[in-house]
Structure formats: C-alpha cells, structure tokens
Amino acid sequence: MLKDLRNIGIIAHIDAGKTTTTERILYFTGLTHKIGETHDGESVMDYLDVEKERGITVTSAATKCVWKGTSINIIDTPGHVDFTAEVERSLRILDGAVVIFCAKGGVEPQSETVWRQADKYKVPRMAYVNKMDAIGADFYRVVEQIRQRLGADPLVLTLPVFEGEAFSGIIDLVKMRYQTFAGKLGNEVKETDIPSEYAEEAKQWRLALVEKLAETDEAMLELYYNNQAIPDELVVETVRNNVVQANMVPVICGSSYRNIGVQTLLDAIVEYLPSPLDVNPARAVDLDSGESLEISPDTYSDFSALVFKIVSDRHVGKLAFARVYSGSVKAGSYVFNSNKGKKERVGRLVKMHANHREEIEEVRAGDIAAFIGLKDVATGDTICSDVQPILLESIDFPEPVIQIAIEPRTQSDQSKIAEALAKISAEDPTFRMIYNKETGQTLLSGMGELHLEIIAERLAKEFHVGINIGEPEVAYKETITRAAEHETRYVKQTGGKGQFAHVVLKCEPGEGFEFVNKIVGGAIPREYIPAVESGIKQALEEGVLKGYPVVNVKVTLLDGSFHEVDSSEMAFRTAAMFATRECLKKASPKMLEPVMRLEVTSPEEFTGNIINNISNRRGKLDSMEMQNSTQIIRGFVPLAEMFGYSTVLRSSTQGRAGFSMEFSHYEERNLAS
C-alpha cells in the first residue's frame, strides 16, 4: 500500500550523526542484529574502503526497513560539501527528509546548503537535534537557529530531560509523557509521568504547540476556544498536514550514539512525513505531443521512473538506481530510455541494503530499486513504457571547479586507467575527465580537494591503477566583452576535388551558448548549417587567451557562399572554426575564474587575522555574525587563492577555527592579478 510507504533522506552537516542515526534505525527495525559504529569502520551504510578509513560518508547509500507496518526507504547522504551532488540527486527523488543538527554545533554551514537544496525540490522535512549528550548541547538554541538562519517555522514536539548533567530521556509533547530508553542498547522504551521539575515547562510548550496548530485547523481551534481536551490523533493529523504542505518543521531531540530517542524519531517519520500519495505529482513532458503532464503514483498506469544514481559493480556490472513514479515493471521485460531514444531489457531488479542486494521480481509506483542490465543509461535519464514515452524533470548538478593532472605510472596502468575513470565518471556527474593531447596529461575535474583525493584513492585501491598526481589547477573559463564580426573564405585545392566554404560570423556576449542562423535565399544550403554550428562549438572549446573553454557567447551566421562541387560539411566546419577564433580575438576576450562562497567559524580573538588573510587572497567580505562567542565570517574568494587554506587557517588560529566553501559564481579576472 502506497500510504504505508515513506521515501526519505537523511541529510546534515558533516559529523552531525547521519550514519550513526541510520545504523540505529536499522538495528531497532530488526534489519541488523549489531550496531555498526562509524569510528570503528563497521557501519553498514559506509561500506566503501575510503569511508571506513576516514569515518565519513562520500556516497549516498540506500536501504529499506519496516517500522510498525510502514516500509521506509532510507537514503543516507554525505555531509561534506565536496559531495553535495549526492544530496542533490537524492532529494530530487525523495518524498521527505530528516535533517539532523548537532545539539552543540547547531545550524552549521553545510546544514544551510542541504536546507536550500531541500527548498529547491520542495521536500517536506523534519528536524532531529542529535548529540544531546554532548558537553555544550543546547536544544533551544538550535530551535532558534532553525527559525532565524533557515527561515523555517520549527514545531517543537519533544523536550530534553537531564538528570544532573546527564541526558536521560525526552518528554513527548503530543502524548505528554516522559520517555526513557532502557536495556543494553536502548531497546526498552518506557513511558512514565513527566518529572515534576519539568511539568510546568512541558505545559507551556504543549500550549504553544496547540496554539500554533490551532491557527491552521478549524476543528482544533474550536476545541481550543471551548477549553475542551484535544485528542492526540487530531494533533498528529494537524502536524502531518502542515509538514506535507511544508508550512512547519517538527523538531525532536535525542542522542543516537547513546540510543536515546531513535524510536521516537521512527514514530515521527511514520506519523508526519508524507507517503508518495501525499506529495505533488511528478512533472513530465509527453515526447509525442510536447505537452506537460502530471504523473500520479498509480501502479496500474504506464511505467515511468527516473534514474538518479549509477554504480559500477565488479560482479554484476552497472547498477542503475531509479525511483519509480508510476506503473510497474518486471525483471526480464523491456523499458524505453526517453533520453537516449532506445529500448533496453531489464535483466534483474534488486532492492539495495547498502552494498548488499536482495533480488525482487517486480517494482511498482513509489519504489526505489536498482536495475541491472541497462547498458546505455546515465544519471538523470527517464525510463518508461514505450506506449506513452515521457521525459521526467532531470537533475541539475553544479559544475566542477578544481582540477588535478594525473599520469599512469606504467604501461599496464595506462591501459587500465581509461576504463577505471569511465566507470567513476558514469557514477559521479560532478566528475569530469579530459585528455590533453598537447601535454599528454589526463586532467580530472571535481568539486574540491577532498573529492579528487577520494577519486585518486579509489583508482589505487579499487581499480589497482598506479598514478602520479600533479598540482591542482583551477577550471578557468573565457568569455568576450563586446561584439565582433569576421569573414572567412576557406579554399583548398589538392589537384582533385577541392574544398570551399565562405562564412561571415558575428560573436557577441550572451547567456550560455546561442547559435542564430540568419542565412536567407540559400546563400549556404541548409544541410551545411549544422556543420557551421559544429565548427563554432569546436572553436569555443579552446579560447584564444589561455585555451580554456569559452562561455556566454551568442554567435550569428550572417552570410556566406558555397561552391556546387567543392563545398562539403568538413569545409564549412573548418571555415566556421577559423572564423570563430578570429572573432574571439577581436571581441576583447577576458578570463573568468570560479569564486567560492566562504564561511569561517572562529573564536572572536582571531577575527582580525582571518579578515586580513581573506583580503590578501583577493577576497571580499560579505557579512559577520556573533553566535555564542563564536564569530562567523562570510565572504567570497577566488578558488585560485584557496589551495592550502585549511593549513594556514589552522596554524593562525591554534586549530580552533573551521571553514567550509562552495562554488558561488564565475567572475572576470585580470590576467595581471
């Protein structure tokens, strides 16, 4: 039953306890019989060698469990900003999310990033304030930060209870009961009366909860005004309605590591987060008519699914993770790939539990599963029935901004490297691989130093490829700042049939790449126009300043001529390429460099040093904010100036400051700077 299904993601800043919480969920739902800890390298969800060694998540992992009759598909995502694409693609296909906050750190930099990503896809969510056992934990401060920094409307559903300094349990404001978690691993949930010293505070928070909910529900408002008892079921229903409409964010607290509050979190996931029936239908385009469609989660309609992740497995080949939006499909049947325009056979279907697979016969609307046997499939592709081919809204990924050069160590490594990089590239849409013919180097582009470090480690350990790594390079781009025209006649006589093409091009600043054909009267035959566009695109791959790709250019084909015998597609492609290069030279070309959004958190005494350092790196200060004696400095700094910044920041602040950065925009760079 779709109403008894939850597709959720667990998202947060790095080290807030996502994987630890997921491990507890797997244990309490009976999926595992032993709790795996990230610091021991034994967690189920962090199954890659690099994840076990570093104790961090670098790839999203999917699993499924059952709690009180409700099936929950869970995707545990990375917290580090270098792997933000894993969060992006997960949120695109999920119905709800649990955002985990550290009770000590509060709303941290990456918390804001994942929150914005959830806003982008309009994903209903709830907040779980973890690590309530940590020294310096402050539940109420985190609630206020969710309100102020994230612009959300937090709805407090539980309160923390302390015995002395120790976090001992939680007060459930819906049931108005005190919950403790006894037994060796917290699996004995006991409900008792609220401790007397917390009774008054609990009443006040319960009143605030009811008042806020009554504003959105007439039945509750009437009971409230008449001083009548409000049933727990009505409170739950009203909270759920507000969550589904993304009006409010329920907040509960706990300590996953101490096994306190995880069962309450599971109850909240089932009670408040939406099923596939509750969320807005997926949007798609009918390939035959071009009309926009709504795809309802109906098992009996035509099949449609979105591929959101590709994983290469050495035993079974390519695993295509997909969210099924409508219909059903069985193993052994055929599906139509709308993006590639071809039919492919589904060999096998599997439900994933991290890196373990469970074979299934059929997937239906609402399911998340892996398809085995689809050869020509990529992240963001729509697979559907060929009866009504549709195209679901794809996934946008940020552009990579950092490069390293790698070289294979031996001849045997040379033969293995291309295949290994192709597999990683298929898995990771934010990873790019370019072979530079002039230098003989392979250039890898990614989202940050850690991202490329992990890829280099995978090449060595997973694919057994020996490589030497060069210094990171910045992925610059080039653009033009004014309009220019150029006319090229390409004439070549070789004794036999010659080559002839004549084009007049105009280049001017634009948005992205735009090609406009203004040929009239057949001056250039229509069959040669695609060759002209191809030549222009080829020329834009290498700019005239430093050979970087050229962006934000509008190219107009104004005029030209052809020869009945000597003209060919190759001649027009070559002429367009030459003309574009000359146009670029005349159009005042400029370099563009990636600028990062930087956020530094530091004790106040180091503020002056940090600001000076940002200024010395050609940075611009954006804002400063004090939070509990911690200074938060935000600004924009060119990526070229940020290599090795972590070492400098640590040494200048006695290791007490931290920072995060993410790509913001491209900006003109003066070549003299």
Side-chain angles (χ1 to χ4, degrees):
M1 294 284 285
L2 279 173
K3 71 180 182 63
D4 296 323
L5 176 64
R6 303 287 180 272
N7 289 317
I8 67 157
I10 296 190
I11 58 177
H13 186 92
I14 192 166
D15 207 31
K18 293 178 300 303
T19 303
T20 301
T21 302
T22 310
E23 293 296 326
R24 266 58 184 181
I25 287 173
L26 298 184
Y27 174 75
F28 289 125
T29 56
L31 206 59
T32 57
H33 303 291
K34 173 179 178 286
I35 293 176
E37 303 291 6
T38 50
H39 55 266
D40 294 334
E42 290 185 356
S43 70
V44 173
M45 303 304 279
D46 285 349
Y47 57 86
L48 294 177
D49 289 341
V50 291
E51 293 178 316
K52 290 179 179 180
E53 286 171 16
R54 293 169 181 263
I56 62 168
T57 305
V58 302
T59 181
S60 53
T63 190
K64 183 177 181 178
C65 58
V66 178
W67 181 254
K68 296 185 177 176
T70 297
S71 295
I72 307 172
N73 284 316
I74 300 173
I75 296 184
D76 175 30
T77 64
H80 197 284
V81 70
D82 281 16
F83 307 103
T84 189
E86 292 286 339
V87 183
E88 188 86 20
R89 59 171 155 205
S90 300
L91 286 172
R92 166 64 184 83
I93 55 92
L94 291 169
D95 301 323
V98 176
V99 189
I100 299 183
F101 298 95
C102 170
K104 185 179 177 184
V107 175
E108 296 173 279
Q110 187 65 3
S111 311
E112 293 186 65
T113 303
V114 297
W115 196 272
R116 283 198 306 274
Q117 288 172 302
D119 281 341
K120 174 180 169 183
Y121 294 111
K122 299 179 176 61
V123 178
R125 69 213 79 147
M126 57 182 293
Y128 173 59
V129 182
N130 189 25
K131 301 192 177 183
M132 284 305 307
D133 59 314
I135 296 168
D138 188 338
F139 174 70
Y140 305 101
R141 177 174 63 86
V142 179
V143 171
E144 197 51 40
Q145 283 183 348
I146 291 171
R147 188 192 319 280
Q148 291 181 354
R149 291 188 63 178
L150 302 178
D153 191 359
L155 191 68
V156 176
L157 299 184
T158 66
L159 299 178
V161 172
F162 294 88
E163 287 181 5
E165 294 290 311
F167 177 51
S168 59
I170 57 179
I171 294 168
D172 184 334
L173 294 174
V174 176
K175 298 176 183 174
M176 286 302 280
R177 300 286 284 167
Y178 173 45
Q179 293 182 338
T180 54
F181 302 82
K184 188 180 177 187
L185 295 169
N187 43 7
E188 295 172 23
V189 183
K190 293 182 178 176
E191 288 190 357
T192 55
D193 292 336
I194 295 169
S196 55
E197 64 269 31
Y198 284 91
E200 191 55 41
E201 185 184 359
K203 272 184 195 171
Q204 288 173 4
W205 279 97
R206 164 75 180 196
L207 183 63
L209 170 68
V210 170
E211 284 177 349
K212 187 182 276 193
L213 291 173
E215 291 172 10
T216 67
D217 185 89
E218 286 185 16
M220 189 179 285
L221 186 63
E222 194 174 327
L223 290 172
Y224 174 68
Y225 269 125
N226 294 326
N227 282 328
Q228 291 179 273
I230 296 171
D232 294 352
E233 295 77 19
L234 182 57
V235 175
V236 169
E237 185 187 334
T238 312
V239 173
R240 180 181 177 80
N241 290 339
N242 279 288
V243 173
V244 170
Q245 293 162 23
N247 294 334
M248 296 178 187
V249 178
V251 185
I252 64 174
C253 60
S255 168
S256 298
Y257 184 61
R258 300 286 175 207
N259 305 312
I260 298 174
V262 179
Q263 294 94 323
T264 312
L265 172 63
L266 278 163
D267 287 342
I269 288 169
V270 169
E271 287 171 344
Y272 306 127
L273 288 181
S275 74
L277 295 170
D278 298 320
V279 293
N280 292 328
R283 306 288 307 178
V285 174
D286 187 315
L287 287 185
D288 294 331
S289 66
E291 292 177 5
S292 181
L293 301 172
E294 285 191 346
I295 307 298
S296 299
D298 181 0
T299 306
Y300 299 102
S301 57
D302 291 322
F303 170 73
S304 68
L306 183 75
V307 176
F308 68 95
K309 183 178 170 76
I310 300 290
V311 173
S312 297
D313 186 287
R314 63 171 178 262
H315 300 298
V316 297
K318 190 184 278 188
L319 286 163
F321 284 74
R323 159 73 191 263
V324 182
Y325 283 98
S326 63
S328 62
V329 71
K330 292 187 175 179
S333 55
Y334 283 84
V335 293
F336 181 73
N337 184 327
S338 305
N339 298 74
K340 304 291 191 298
K342 56 163 49 171
K343 282 178 79 170
E344 287 205 62
R345 184 174 175 274
V346 179
R348 289 152 60 199
L349 293 165
V350 292
K351 283 277 184 193
M352 297 301 293
H353 172 47
N355 63 334
H356 302 295
R357 296 180 292 272
E358 173 200 338
E359 288 226 20
I360 52 175
E361 283 300 309
E362 183 181 26
V363 287
R364 298 177 179 178
D367 282 344
I368 294 174
F371 290 63
I372 299 174
L374 304 180
K375 293 180 174 62
D376 190 12
V377 67
T379 300
D381 282 1
T382 299
I383 51 176
C384 59
S385 158
D386 60 356
V387 175
Q388 186 190 25
I390 61 165
L391 205 56
L392 290 157
E393 186 184 334
S394 193
I395 312 169
D396 297 324
F397 292 107
E399 285 291 309
V401 292
I402 183 172
Q403 280 187 343
I404 57 171
I406 65 163
E407 291 173 344
R409 284 187 191 148
T410 65
Q411 195 62 41
S412 102
D413 290 326
Q414 174 81 54
S415 59
K416 288 190 288 186
I417 197 166
E419 187 186 347
L421 289 174
K423 283 182 178 176
I424 294 173
S425 187
E427 292 179 13
D428 187 348
T430 58
F431 169 67
R432 302 273 194 284
M433 167 188 63
I434 304 162
Y435 180 69
N436 190 320
K437 291 178 185 173
E438 292 175 11
T439 62
Q441 285 184 314
T442 300
L443 298 174
L444 308 186
S445 305
M447 298 304 296
E449 290 181 73
L450 179 63
H451 186 199
L452 293 176
E453 217 177 281
I454 296 284
I455 285 169
E457 276 188 39
R458 286 189 65 193
L459 283 173
K461 293 180 178 174
E462 205 175 307
F463 298 99
H464 309 294
V465 177
I467 54 168
N468 296 317
I469 300 174
E471 282 297 305
E473 294 176 17
V474 177
Y476 292 105
K477 294 188 189 303
E478 297 181 23
T479 193
I480 56 174
T481 54
R482 65 185 181 88
E485 288 184 23
H486 192 80
E487 180 177 3
T488 293
R489 284 178 183 275
Y490 178 65
V491 184
K492 199 171 182 183
Q493 294 297 333
T494 55
K497 183 186 171 186
Q499 294 284 344
F500 178 87
H502 169 218
V503 295
V504 181
L505 295 182
K506 179 184 179 183
C507 294
E508 57 192 311
E511 283 291 319
F513 168 72
E514 186 183 354
F515 172 66
V516 179
N517 174 24
K518 285 199 174 173
I519 293 294
V520 288
I524 297 175
R526 275 188 304 180
E527 60 263 29
Y528 294 142
I529 302 300
V532 172
E533 185 178 359
S534 172
I536 292 166
K537 286 181 175 174
Q538 197 172 336
L540 294 178
E541 286 175 8
E542 289 187 19
V544 294
L545 288 175
K546 297 279 186 179
Y548 292 109
V550 184
V551 295
N552 299 337
V553 178
K554 178 183 177 182
V555 185
T556 307
L557 176 59
L558 299 172
D559 199 3
S561 60
F562 74 105
H563 187 279
E564 291 284 357
V565 177
D566 291 348
S567 286
S568 65
E569 286 188 4
M570 190 180 84
F572 273 100
R573 189 181 298 114
T574 307
M577 199 160 65
F578 289 159
T580 306
R581 283 181 183 157
E582 293 305 315
C583 251
L584 294 176
K585 288 175 186 174
K586 295 178 183 177
S588 299
K590 290 274 186 186
M591 289 277 285
L592 293 175
E593 66 176 343
V595 174
M596 310 301 283
R597 183 185 289 108
L598 175 71
E599 180 165 315
V600 183
T601 53
S602 166
E604 195 178 4
E605 62 260 37
F606 304 114
T607 304
N609 286 348
I610 291 167
I611 291 171
N612 286 339
N613 193 263
I614 289 173
S615 178
N616 292 339
R617 292 171 184 267
R618 297 190 288 121
K620 295 173 190 165
L621 205 61
D622 181 45
S623 68
M624 290 171 58
E625 180 187 346
M626 278 295 291
Q627 279 188 9
N628 295 343
S629 75
T630 297
Q631 186 78 54
I632 298 177
I633 303 158
R634 298 184 180 93
F636 299 92
V637 188
L639 175 64
E641 306 292 338
M642 290 305 292
F643 296 124
Y645 181 64
S646 54
T647 309
V648 171
L649 184 67
R650 276 199 294 267
S651 61
S652 64
T653 61
Q654 300 165 13
R656 293 168 64 195
F659 81 102
S660 73
M661 65 176 184
E662 62 180 347
F663 172 70
S664 173
H665 61 278
Y666 271 91
E667 204 171 84
E668 278 188 23
R669 176 175 184 181
N670 187 333
L671 283 176
S673 68

